[in-house]
């Protein structure tokens, strides 16, 4: 049961990283929109975290598949498939010359991702708490003998 707790702690921190990455991208787009950043700087900041975010999200989805957490895997699968499609079509990076034209759609896309990560954060936190209580109860039973 301790492995289950370690697994959910790992998932918790990966989900926090994904949430922070998406929030950082959204913050950079908002700074660009109100003219605090130039397009080159905003694009380079966002493009620097896109591929690591895709890799972390794919790793988390694969972890759910390999550990037979089917519900969580099915929740993460559509976003993973969309990220894979963007990466294979080479549309995952923001173009410096077209960033102002696409700023509205990019912000909406990141708001949706932020919402998905928030829902998944809630589910993962719930599973982490259940796993921690279960681990504590099992540990108490072992020491009782």
């Amino acid at each position: 049961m301790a492995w289950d707790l370690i697994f959910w702690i790992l998932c918790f921190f990966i989900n926090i990283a994904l949430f922070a990455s998406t929030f950082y991208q959204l913050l950079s787009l908002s700074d660009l929109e109100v003219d605090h950043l130039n397009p080159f700087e905003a694009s380079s900041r966002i493009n620097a975290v896109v591929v690591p975010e895709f890799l972390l999200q794919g790793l988390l989805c694969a972890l759910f598949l390999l550990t037979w957490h089917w519900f969580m895997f099915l929740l993460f699968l559509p976003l993973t498939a969309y990220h894979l499609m963007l990466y294979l079509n080479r549309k995952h990076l923001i173009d410096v010359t077209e960033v102002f034209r696409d700023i509205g759609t990019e912000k909406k896309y990141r708001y949706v991702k932020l919402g998905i990560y928030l829902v998944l954060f809630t589910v993962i936190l719930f599973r982490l708490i259940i796993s921690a209580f279960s681990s504590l109860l099992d540990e108490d039973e072992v020491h009782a003998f």
Side-chain angles (χ1 to χ4, degrees), residues 7 58-70 72-73:
F7 172 75
L59 172 74
L60 191 58
C61 189
L63 278 174
F64 287 136
L65 177 64
L66 293 175
T67 57
W68 297 358
H69 291 93
W70 297 107
M72 293 300 293
F73 170 71

Side-chain angles (χ1 to χ4, degrees), residues 44-117:
S44 63
R45 283 183 180 185
I46 292 170
N47 290 341
V49 296
V50 166
V51 173
E53 177 193 358
F54 284 11
L55 289 174
L56 266 179
Q57 210 272 328
L59 172 74
L60 191 58
C61 189
L63 278 174
F64 287 136
L65 177 64
L66 293 175
T67 57
W68 297 358
H69 291 93
W70 297 107
F71 178 70
M72 293 300 293
F73 170 71
L74 291 175
L75 284 177
F76 265 91
L77 188 61
L79 188 59
T80 305
Y82 185 70
H83 283 169
L84 185 63
M85 182 195 68
L86 283 178
Y87 185 77
L88 292 177
N89 291 335
R90 297 184 187 261
K91 295 184 179 186
H92 60 287
L93 299 177
I94 292 182
D95 187 18
V96 176
T97 58
E98 297 182 7
V99 69
F100 278 115
R101 185 174 1 153
D102 298 336
I103 198 165
T105 56
E106 292 290 335
K107 282 181 73 172
K108 287 177 189 174
Y109 164 63
R110 278 160 179 88
Y111 275 130
V112 168
K113 276 188 1 180
L114 203 63
I116 290 170
Y117 289 146

Side-chain angles (χ1 to χ4, degrees), residues 9 12 15 32 83 94 118:
I9 289 173
F12 176 76
N15 198 0
L32 175 68
H83 283 169
I94 292 182
L118 187 60

